[in-house]
C-alpha cells in the first residue's frame, strides 16, 4: 500500500528572520537544533516580541515529515508515524500532511497532549537555527506506530532526531526487526549536527547491523566518522550502509556506494549543486534532499539522477521561506530533471 513508512517528531514550525547579533542574544548555536522546555521557548518568544522580531511563517514541520511531504508531492505514497496532541496545532499538522497525500494514523493522536513546536531563526545568510519544544512528541512510543503500514512498504525512513528520544528506542528496534522480516530497506537521516554530537549511541541503534542508505551533510559526516575530507567521510560511512549521501551546500554532494563485488573499488558519484543567486532560508533543505532522492531511488533511477533531482529540489527550497514547496513546484522540477 505504501512506498515508504517514516517515523519522526511532529512539530509546527514558527519562522523568524533576524540578524546575527540578535541570534547571539538568544545563546543558541548557529546552524544547530537545541531542545528546550516550554518555559525556555516562551522566554525566547518573549525576547523576539521585546525586540520587535515578528514571525514570517507558520508551517507543518519536523524533519521526516518534510521528507515525506516531498516524497508525496513528487508522486510517491508515504505513511508517517508521529505523535501530536488533540489540540488545534495537532489538527493543523495532520491535516496539512493529509492534504499533501501523506497518510497517518489515529495512533499518532495523544489525548490531552500538547503538539510540539519549533522556533526557526533564519539569519541574513539564510542559515537556520532551531529551538525545539517537543511537547507530546517527546513521549512517542511503539503505541504511536502503526507497524502494519510497514508490511508492504519498500522503504523504512528513520529521522535522526529520534536518536535523542529514549522512549522510542524499543520501537526503533522493533521496526528494524520487522523491516528485516519483510525485506524492507532502511534509510536513516542524521538530521542535525547536534544529533551526532549528543546522541550518537541512538544513531547507532537506528543503523543496527547496516542500513541501505544514510543521508547527512558534511558536518554531520565528519563528526560521525572523525574524517576531515568529504570523500573520506563518505567512504567511512559505508561501514554502516550500502549508500552514503553526503551533501555539502553549494559545493555539491558526494554519493558513495559499496561495490557489488568485495574486491572492487568503492563507487563515488559527485553531484553539483545548481547555482543559487539568493539563499533566503536553508530550513528543510536537507529534508527535501532526502525526500527527492528517496523518491527517485524508489522509481529505480540511477544514483546520479537521484542526486540531480534532490539537488534541484533543495536549491529551490532555499530560495523561499519555509521548508516546503508547493506540490506543483515539485512536479515541475521532476519533469524537467528526470525526463531531461
Amino acid at each position: 500500500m505504501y512506498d515508504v513508512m517514516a517515523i519522526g517528531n511532529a512539530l509546527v514550525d514558527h519562522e523568524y528572520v533576524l540578524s546575527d547579533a540578535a541570534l547571539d542574544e538568544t545563546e543558541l548555536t548557529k546552524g544547530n537544533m537545541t531542545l528546550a522546555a516550554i518555559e525556555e521557548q516562551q522566554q525566547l518568544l518573549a525576547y523576539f516580541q521585546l525586540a520587535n522580531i515578528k514571525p514570517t511563517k507558520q508551517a507543518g514541520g519536523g524533519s521526516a515529515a518534510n521528507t515525506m511531504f516531498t516524497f508525496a508531492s513528487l508522486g510517491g505514497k508515504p505513511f508517517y508515524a508521529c505523535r501530536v496532541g488533540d489540540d488545534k496545532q495537532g489538527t493543523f499538522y495532520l491535516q496539512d500532511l493529509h492534504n499533501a497525500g501523506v497518510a497517518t494514523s489515529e495512533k499518532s493522536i495523544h489525548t490531552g497532549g500538547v503538539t510540539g513546536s519549533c522556533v526557526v531563526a533564519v539569519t541574513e545568510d539564510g542559515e537556520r537555527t532551531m529551538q525545539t519544544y517537543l511537547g507530546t512528541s517527546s513521549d512517542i512510543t511503539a503505541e504511536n506506530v502503526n507497524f502494519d503500514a510497514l508490511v508492504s512498504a519498500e522503504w523504512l525512513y528513520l529521522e535522526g532526531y529520534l536518536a535523542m528520544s529514549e522512549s522510542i528506542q524499543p520501537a526503533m528496534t522493533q521496526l528494524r526487526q520487522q523491516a528485516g522480516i519483510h525485506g524492507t530497506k532502511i534509510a536513516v537521516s542524521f538530521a542535525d549536527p547536534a544529533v551526532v554530537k549528543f546522541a550518537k549511541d541512538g544513531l547507532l541503534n537506528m543503523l543496527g547491523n547496516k542500513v541501505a542508505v544514510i543521508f547527512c551533510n558534511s558536518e554531520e559526516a565528519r563528526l560521525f566518522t572523525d574524517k576531515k575530507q568529504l570523500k573520506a567521510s563518505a567512504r567511512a560511512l559505508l561501514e554502516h550502509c550500502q549508500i552514503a549521501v553526503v551533501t555539502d551546500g553549494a559545493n555539491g554532494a558526494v554519493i558513495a556506494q559499496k561495490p557489488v563485488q568485495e574486491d572492487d573499488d568503492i563507487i563515488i558519484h559527485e553531484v553539483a549543486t545548481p547555482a543559487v543567486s539568493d539563499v533566503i532560508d536553508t530550513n528543510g533543505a536537507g529534508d527535501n534532499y532526502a525526500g527527492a532522492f528517496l523518491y527517485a531511488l524508489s522509481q529505480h533511477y540511477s544514483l546520479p539522477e537521484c542526486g540531480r533531482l534532490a539537488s534541484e529540489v533543495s536549491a529551490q527550497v532555499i530560495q523561499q521561506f519555509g521548508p516546503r514547496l508547493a506540490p506543483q513546484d515539485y512536479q515541475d522540477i521532476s519533469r524537467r530533471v528526470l525526463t531531461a
Side-chain angles (χ1 to χ4, degrees):
M1 183 179 295
Y2 303 108
D3 299 318
V4 57
M5 175 186 176
I7 181 169
N9 283 318
L11 305 168
V12 175
D13 284 354
H14 304 273
E15 289 211 352
Y16 295 79
V17 178
L18 64 165
S19 66
D20 278 309
L23 181 63
D24 288 342
E25 291 291 326
T26 69
E27 299 184 354
L28 296 174
T29 302
K30 185 173 181 178
N32 281 221
M33 186 279 293
T34 301
L35 290 177
I38 184 62
E39 295 81 9
E40 293 172 304
Q41 190 161 93
Q42 288 171 345
Q43 288 173 4
L44 179 62
L45 295 175
Y47 160 67
F48 284 165
Q49 186 174 10
L50 187 64
N52 199 31
I53 301 171
K54 301 183 183 300
T56 59
K57 191 169 188 177
Q58 172 182 288
S63 179
N66 292 336
T67 299
M68 292 304 100
F69 185 96
T70 301
F71 192 94
S73 296
L74 286 164
K77 294 181 180 179
F79 179 94
Y80 183 58
C82 61
R83 182 178 169 113
V84 299
D86 58 343
D87 49 14
K88 289 183 179 179
Q89 296 281 64
T91 300
F92 164 79
Y93 186 87
L94 294 180
Q95 189 60 54
D96 194 40
L97 289 175
H98 292 167
N99 292 344
V102 180
T104 61
S105 166
E106 289 188 0
K107 289 177 178 285
S108 292
I109 303 172
H110 176 62
T111 302
V114 177
T115 301
S117 58
C118 179
V119 174
V120 184
V122 182
T123 42
E124 293 164 353
D125 59 357
E127 182 62 86
R128 100 290 185 267
T129 302
M130 299 182 291
Q131 189 210 56
T132 301
Y133 166 59
L134 290 173
T136 193
S137 190
S138 65
D139 297 317
I140 185 172
T141 67
E143 293 182 0
N144 302 117
V145 179
N146 185 346
F147 290 92
D148 292 341
L150 186 63
V151 173
S152 61
E154 181 184 1
W155 287 92
L156 169 64
Y157 183 86
L158 304 177
E159 172 191 305
Y161 287 120
L162 290 180
M164 294 176 156
S165 170
E166 291 186 12
S167 64
I168 196 60
Q169 296 313 309
M172 287 291 185
T173 301
Q174 190 175 345
L175 282 167
R176 284 194 293 100
Q177 291 171 343
Q178 290 289 323
I181 292 170
H182 299 296
T184 306
K185 291 172 282 191
I186 302 175
V188 173
S189 165
F190 285 0
D192 193 279
V195 173
V196 185
K197 290 176 186 175
F198 305 117
K200 190 171 181 178
D201 287 346
L203 274 181
L204 289 170
N205 183 48
M206 283 187 187
L207 296 173
N209 294 325
K210 281 185 185 176
V211 297
V213 184
I214 288 175
F215 293 103
C216 61
N217 65 27
S218 56
E219 182 181 359
E220 294 154 4
R222 291 175 178 125
L223 285 169
F224 189 86
T225 64
D226 290 325
K227 302 291 185 182
K228 293 183 179 180
Q229 299 298 321
L230 187 65
K231 289 182 182 178
S233 65
R235 288 189 179 95
L237 285 171
L238 293 180
E239 294 181 15
H240 303 277
C241 63
Q242 295 295 318
I243 300 169
V245 184
V246 184
T247 59
D248 193 25
N251 298 318
V254 169
I255 305 167
Q257 180 183 16
K258 277 197 169 179
V260 177
Q261 302 294 331
E262 287 188 10
D263 294 335
D264 292 344
D265 293 333
I266 290 170
I267 302 167
I268 297 288
H269 305 281
E270 296 184 68
V271 179
T273 297
V276 175
S277 58
D278 190 14
V279 177
I280 294 175
D281 179 5
T282 58
N283 182 29
D287 306 334
N288 276 262
Y289 193 102
F293 193 104
L294 194 59
Y295 169 75
L297 196 58
S298 74
Q299 301 302 306
H300 310 295
Y301 285 94
S302 69
L303 293 181
E305 288 174 313
C306 295
R308 283 195 290 274
L309 176 65
S311 293
E312 291 283 349
V313 167
S314 58
Q316 189 67 36
V317 168
I318 65 176
Q319 296 181 75
Q320 60 156 42
F321 285 112
R324 300 173 182 176
L325 301 174
Q328 186 61 49
D329 292 337
Y330 290 105
Q331 293 289 326
D332 290 344
I333 295 170
S334 177
R335 280 192 292 269
R336 174 164 51 82
V337 175
L338 296 182
T339 60

